[in-house]
Amino acid sequence: MRRALAGSIALAVGAAPIGVFLLLRRMSLSGDAMAHAILPGAAFGFLVAGLDLVAMTLGGLAAGLLVALLAGLVTRTTILREDASLASFYLISLALGVLLVSLRGSSVDLMHVLFGTVLALNPDALVFIAGVATATLVMLALIWRPLVLECVDPGFLRVVSGTGGTIHTVFIVLVVLNLVAGFQALGTLLSVGIMMLPAASARFWVREVSMMALVAMGIAAVSAWLGLVLSYHLALPSGPAIILVAGAIHIASILFGAVGGLLPRLLPVAHRTG
């Protein structure tokens, strides 16, 4: 439980700010597609070395970056838009990954790859997740301003500095890295949940991007802690419990959020007179 909590909080700290930028760039579903895209690489690593951290991590990273590269290439050279090309490749990746795992593994192995085993995190996986979180925060600190500018006006960034393509590439690498780190704990199907749900919730509470990232990290960390506590006391699967807690916080944010929440918008606003 201690390792699961440490790994989940490290994952929350690194993945939640990435989710905020995916949200701002209107790439939320792209994050989900990328999460599925890492599956065949992780499955290939499983075929080669079994449930080995290094093999599955390298395989997942390679597959995620390859799908992102192919989707971008198809978008630039054909009439297909980026969301459609990503959807196409992620469906192919998902089917291929399930097939590869099924060739050698059992249904238990398939569930491990798809949904993760956060309570089984070993020291190597914990170090890897913490390393990805640290690298993500350092890189975000270095590219924060151009990344925010690219979310607002990517054309202006290309004209002014010509670094738009580089910033976009670095960001995609960070997305894949955090999804691969999340895969160690939550599996390929749930890893995007700790990235996107807290970010979407934070959008209902604050407007400024840096505050949104901080709130998202806080929500993700609370979701990890409360999900693990509930899974322990109620004998629930830990990964789904974490994501369901994040989902409950998201629904509460939709209802009560100070920025665009349903109830604050419906309540009458008191006007001062005098």
Side-chain angles (χ1 to χ4, degrees), residues 38-106:
I38 69 176
L39 181 56
F44 182 77
F46 171 78
L47 282 178
V48 173
L51 295 174
D52 179 73
L53 172 66
V54 176
M56 295 180 72
T57 296
L58 292 177
L61 184 61
L65 293 176
L66 179 62
V67 167
L69 178 64
L70 290 175
L73 182 63
V74 169
T75 301
R76 287 192 298 269
T77 57
T78 70
I79 61 173
L80 209 60
R81 294 179 58 180
E82 185 177 23
D83 57 344
S85 60
L86 268 175
S88 302
F89 282 113
Y90 108 72
L91 289 171
I92 296 170
S93 299
L94 181 60
L96 179 60
V98 171
L99 178 64
L100 288 175
V101 175
S102 302
L103 288 177
R104 174 176 171 180
S106 64

Side-chain angles (χ1 to χ4, degrees), residues 237-262:
S238 299
I242 292 172
I243 302 305
L244 284 175
V245 170
I249 295 174
H250 179 58
I251 292 173
S253 300
I254 293 173
L255 294 175
F256 304 108
V259 183
L262 290 178

Side-chain angles (χ1 to χ4, degrees), residues 7 10-11 15 38 53 57 121 125 128-133 136 174-187 191 194:
L11 183 62
I38 69 176
L53 172 66
T57 296
L121 286 178
F128 174 71
I129 294 173
V132 169
T136 298
L174 291 178
V175 171
V176 174
L177 271 175
N178 279 273
L179 289 173
V180 171
F183 154 76
Q184 306 296 332
L186 300 173
S191 59
I194 201 68

Side-chain angles (χ1 to χ4, degrees), residues 40-257:
F44 182 77
F46 171 78
L47 282 178
V48 173
L51 295 174
D52 179 73
L53 172 66
V54 176
M56 295 180 72
T57 296
L58 292 177
L61 184 61
L65 293 176
L66 179 62
V67 167
L69 178 64
L70 290 175
L73 182 63
V74 169
T75 301
R76 287 192 298 269
T77 57
T78 70
I79 61 173
L80 209 60
R81 294 179 58 180
E82 185 177 23
D83 57 344
S85 60
L86 268 175
S88 302
F89 282 113
Y90 108 72
L91 289 171
I92 296 170
S93 299
L94 181 60
L96 179 60
V98 171
L99 178 64
L100 288 175
V101 175
S102 302
L103 288 177
R104 174 176 171 180
S106 64
S107 59
V108 175
D109 295 321
L110 182 60
M111 292 292 287
H112 171 84
V113 172
L114 292 178
F115 299 104
T117 50
V118 65
L119 292 179
L121 286 178
N122 56 36
D124 291 337
L126 193 57
V127 169
F128 174 71
I129 294 173
V132 169
T134 302
T136 298
L137 293 179
V138 171
M139 188 56 63
L140 284 178
L142 294 174
I143 66 171
W144 185 269
R145 288 190 177 184
L147 189 57
V148 172
L149 182 57
E150 196 206 9
C151 293
V152 176
D153 191 348
F156 178 75
L157 180 64
R158 285 195 297 268
V159 171
V160 171
S161 65
T163 60
T166 302
I167 296 299
H168 181 76
T169 301
V170 171
F171 177 71
I172 292 299
V173 171
L174 291 178
V175 171
V176 174
L177 271 175
N178 279 273
L179 289 173
V180 171
F183 154 76
Q184 306 296 332
L186 300 173
T188 58
L189 296 186
L190 294 179
S191 59
V192 73
I194 201 68
M195 181 180 289
M196 294 311 309
L197 283 171
S201 301
R203 180 65 181 83
F204 286 98
W205 295 104
V206 291
R207 298 181 186 275
E208 206 269 329
V209 177
S210 58
M211 286 302 300
M212 201 181 300
L214 291 175
V215 171
M217 284 191 286
I219 292 174
V222 169
S223 300
W225 170 75
L226 187 55
L228 287 172
V229 169
L230 291 176
S231 72
Y232 177 79
H233 290 288
L234 301 179
L236 300 173
S238 299
I242 292 172
I243 302 305
L244 284 175
V245 170
I249 295 174
H250 179 58
I251 292 173
S253 300
I254 293 173
L255 294 175
F256 304 108

